[in-house]
């Protein structure tokens, strides 16, 4: 006796027909009849009376039916409870993601290290209202998500954040697709002479400040235009509407359909990684500790 036979028994009792029960199971009526025959032989019971118009439960079959239903219900409950325990055993880590702070760079690494960190499970959460609020993603750390993938430097880390470096983003210049700069394969500071260049104000990002100093020292005629703070969606819209250049980074090259991003010739890069609060709690701290250890081992093997 197996589970399929018991499930088939219930279907036949419900539909009163081997054929109709077979249709519900996507098998032939003959296959259903054979299953019932085997079940009756194994149990040494007659469960159905066969007639020319269909089948119906015998007194033995009627007595047997509620117990079969109980067995199958209990099995379903057991499976669901077991699955729930498996999930509960894992420690859920939430990673915030958005257009300006995509989680893709981490998720690519996670696929590699996940098999050796099986006590943790990653859950992605969409960062809300991040496109029109200056620095909201960072401010929501520890509340809407445990971690985000974001840029950082010494200026950022002064604001009560910790970071695990994953890599470095490259600077680029985003311009409207009909801007002459869009035709270049790479943009130098000389290409930006007498141009307006949208960028964050001094003091927000150490690396942006370094880039600004290098840019103006090389070509003093460049005109930096300050945003109101860190980038939001309005920054990209302003670049399109005013047809000016904008300092951009690797993950933002596809944010606006009317902008193209060309690599900027500079050695200045911006570190990015997993950002957390200074005191993220034991679960997140354990995750970061384990991730650093596993990621380091993989790099050593490479």
């Amino acid at each position: 006796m197996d589970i399929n036979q018991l499930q088939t028994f219930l279907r036949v009792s419900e539909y009163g027909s081997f054929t109709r029960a077979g249709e519900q199971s996507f098998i032939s009526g003959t296959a259903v009849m054979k299953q019932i025959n085997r079940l009756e032989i194994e149990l040494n019971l007659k469960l159905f009376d066969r007639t020319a118009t269909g089948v119906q439960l015998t007194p033995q079959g009627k007595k047997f039916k509620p117990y079969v239903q109980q067995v199958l219900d209990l099995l379903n409950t057991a499976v669901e409870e077991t699955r729930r325990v498996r999930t509960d055993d894992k420690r859920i880590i939430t990673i915030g993601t958005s257009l300006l702070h995509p989680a893709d760079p981490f998720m690519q690494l996670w696929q590699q290290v996940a098999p050796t960190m099986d006590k943790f499970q990653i859950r992605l959460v969409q960062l809300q209202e991040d496109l029109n609020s200056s620095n909201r993603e960072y401010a929501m750390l520890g509340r809407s998500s445990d971690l985000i993938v974001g840029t950082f430097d010494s200026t950022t880390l002064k604001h009560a954040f910790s970071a695990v470096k994953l890599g470095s983003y490259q600077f680029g210049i985003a311009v409207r697709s009909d801007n002459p700069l869009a035709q270049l394969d790479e943009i130098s500071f000389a290409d930006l002479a007498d141009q307006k260049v949208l960028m964050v104000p001094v003091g927000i990002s150490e690396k942006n400040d370094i880039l600004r100093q290098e840019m103006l020292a090389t070509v003093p005629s460049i005109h930096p235009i300050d945003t109101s703070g860190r980038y939001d969606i309005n920054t990209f819209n302003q670049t399109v509407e005013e047809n000016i250049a904008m300092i951009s980074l690797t993950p933002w090259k596809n944010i606006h359909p009317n902008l193209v991003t060309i690599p900027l010739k500079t050695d200045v890069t911006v570190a990015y990684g997993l950002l957390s609060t200074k005191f993220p709690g034991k679960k997140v701290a354990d995750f970061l500790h384990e991730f650093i250890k596993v990621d380091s081992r993989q790099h050593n093997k490479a």
Side-chain angles (χ1 to χ4, degrees), residues 139-151:
M140 295 302 290
L141 258 177
R143 289 185 283 173
S144 62
S145 63
D146 296 318
L147 304 166
I148 64 170
V149 178
T151 60

Side-chain angles (χ1 to χ4, degrees), residues 119-135:
K119 63 184 177 182
F120 293 102
Q121 181 172 308
I122 297 299
R123 178 179 296 155
L124 288 178
V125 295
Q126 183 67 43
L127 296 173
Q128 299 298 320
E129 301 177 12
D130 61 305
L131 294 180
N132 295 296
S133 301
S134 178
N135 211 20

Side-chain angles (χ1 to χ4, degrees), residues 96-245:
T97 185
S98 69
L99 283 175
L100 292 174
H101 293 274
D104 294 0
F106 167 73
M107 297 309 297
Q108 292 171 11
L109 289 175
W110 177 246
Q111 291 176 0
Q112 300 172 22
V113 303
T116 54
M117 294 182 63
D118 55 1
K119 63 184 177 182
F120 293 102
Q121 181 172 308
I122 297 299
R123 178 179 296 155
L124 288 178
V125 295
Q126 183 67 43
L127 296 173
Q128 299 298 320
E129 301 177 12
D130 61 305
L131 294 180
N132 295 296
S133 301
S134 178
N135 211 20
R136 180 177 173 83
E137 302 95 326
Y138 291 83
M140 295 302 290
L141 258 177
R143 289 185 283 173
S144 62
S145 63
D146 296 318
L147 304 166
I148 64 170
V149 178
T151 60
F152 66 92
D153 51 33
S154 62
T155 304
T156 307
L157 299 183
K158 287 178 183 176
H159 297 282
F161 302 114
S162 294
V164 174
K165 184 177 180 180
L166 299 178
S168 294
Y169 289 145
Q170 308 297 313
F171 278 109
I173 297 294
V175 291
R176 221 164 65 182
S177 55
D178 60 351
N179 189 299
L181 292 173
Q183 306 306 313
L184 301 177
D185 295 325
E186 184 181 58
I187 291 177
S188 67
F189 293 137
D191 295 320
L192 298 174
D194 301 318
Q195 298 262 1
K196 293 180 180 179
V197 179
L198 198 61
M199 61 193 310
V200 295
V202 173
I204 288 182
S205 165
E206 175 192 18
K207 292 304 182 73
N208 272 273
D209 293 349
I210 293 172
L211 181 66
R212 181 190 291 249
Q213 292 169 7
E214 180 183 301
M215 185 171 66
L216 293 178
T218 306
V219 183
S221 65
I222 296 174
H223 303 291
I225 304 296
D226 290 346
T227 62
S228 58
R230 289 184 181 273
Y231 287 6
D232 59 28
I233 197 63
N234 295 320
T235 310
F236 296 84
N237 287 333
Q238 181 182 350
T239 303
V240 172
E241 290 162 7
E242 298 182 15
N243 198 11
I244 58 177

